[in-house]
Amino acid sequence: MADGNITKDVMYDAVAPDDFESMLELDRYNARSTAFDKIISATHDHFWDPLDPKYIDFSEPWDMETQALLPDDQVMALGVPYVLDHLEKTGQKVKFINEMVLWNFSSILHGEQGALNLSASLCHVLKDQGAQEYAANQTREEARHVTAFAKYVKARWGRPRPCGATLQQLLVDIIGAPEVYKKIIGM
Ligand SMILES: [Fe+2]
């Protein structure tokens, strides 16, 4: 169904976040969309466990004082000769790179937490069971991402850096938004 501006599919039908009564409508149970079934099943084929060292071994040693986590050419600031020169002369290059990586990984960690809460919030508003199962499944996947990034940050630095104000406001807005399109685009 199209209204001239947007295409609307019944699987994106949504209710208000506090309207649980609508979930109990009897006709809803027999009207489950199968649009997401392949993606949901694929989770089992691509399963991974951040708590199992066979997937990621967080105990692998790394000397944060002497080993840079990224090569120079992947750190944009080091493309400025003055910066590179100064850091090499003062022996601070490794420290600088690893601190930049901490800020990046902290942002990713906060973003993964946002994705977890956003996916969970989609479960409350999506009306179609298939879409809801997809969101629940995605919530589980994002929870694994949070676990993995939190464990990595803990292993290398001990503690993440705070979420930037702009990212934080975006996450707060889309997680709290009652409109399903804002959540989906946000995700
Ligand atoms: Fe994620």
Side-chain angles (χ1 to χ4, degrees), residues 31-133:
R32 184 187 184 284
S33 155
T34 56
F36 296 100
D37 287 0
K38 276 198 180 124
I39 306 176
I40 295 167
S41 298
T43 312
H44 301 285
D45 303 333
H46 300 289
F47 178 80
W48 67 288
D49 180 0
L51 298 175
D52 183 344
K54 281 202 301 269
Y55 294 89
I56 311 170
D57 184 3
F58 294 100
S59 69
E60 259 184 40
W62 191 272
D63 184 354
M64 293 291 281
E65 301 299 316
T66 60
Q67 289 178 281
L69 288 160
L70 285 177
D72 290 9
D73 63 5
Q74 284 187 34
V75 181
M76 225 204 298
L78 298 182
V80 181
Y82 167 79
V83 175
L84 180 63
D85 214 45
H86 173 74
L87 291 171
E88 276 179 342
K89 264 192 216 145
T90 55
Q92 296 184 92
K93 195 175 78 175
V94 170
K95 200 176 173 212
F96 176 82
I97 292 174
N98 291 350
E99 180 67 16
M100 293 285 280
V101 177
L102 171 58
W103 280 97
N104 288 340
F105 272 59
S106 298
S107 292
I108 295 172
L109 173 60
H110 298 305
E112 298 296 351
Q113 185 62 60
L116 193 170
N117 283 56
L118 183 79
S119 304
S121 77
L122 276 169
C123 295
H124 287 179
V125 299
L126 288 169
K127 199 172 173 190
D128 179 272
Q129 277 170 72
Q132 216 171 25
E133 187 176 346

Side-chain angles (χ1 to χ4, degrees), residues 112 115 138 141-142 145:
E112 298 296 351
Q138 193 62 33
E141 182 60 32
E142 299 305 342
H145 300 173

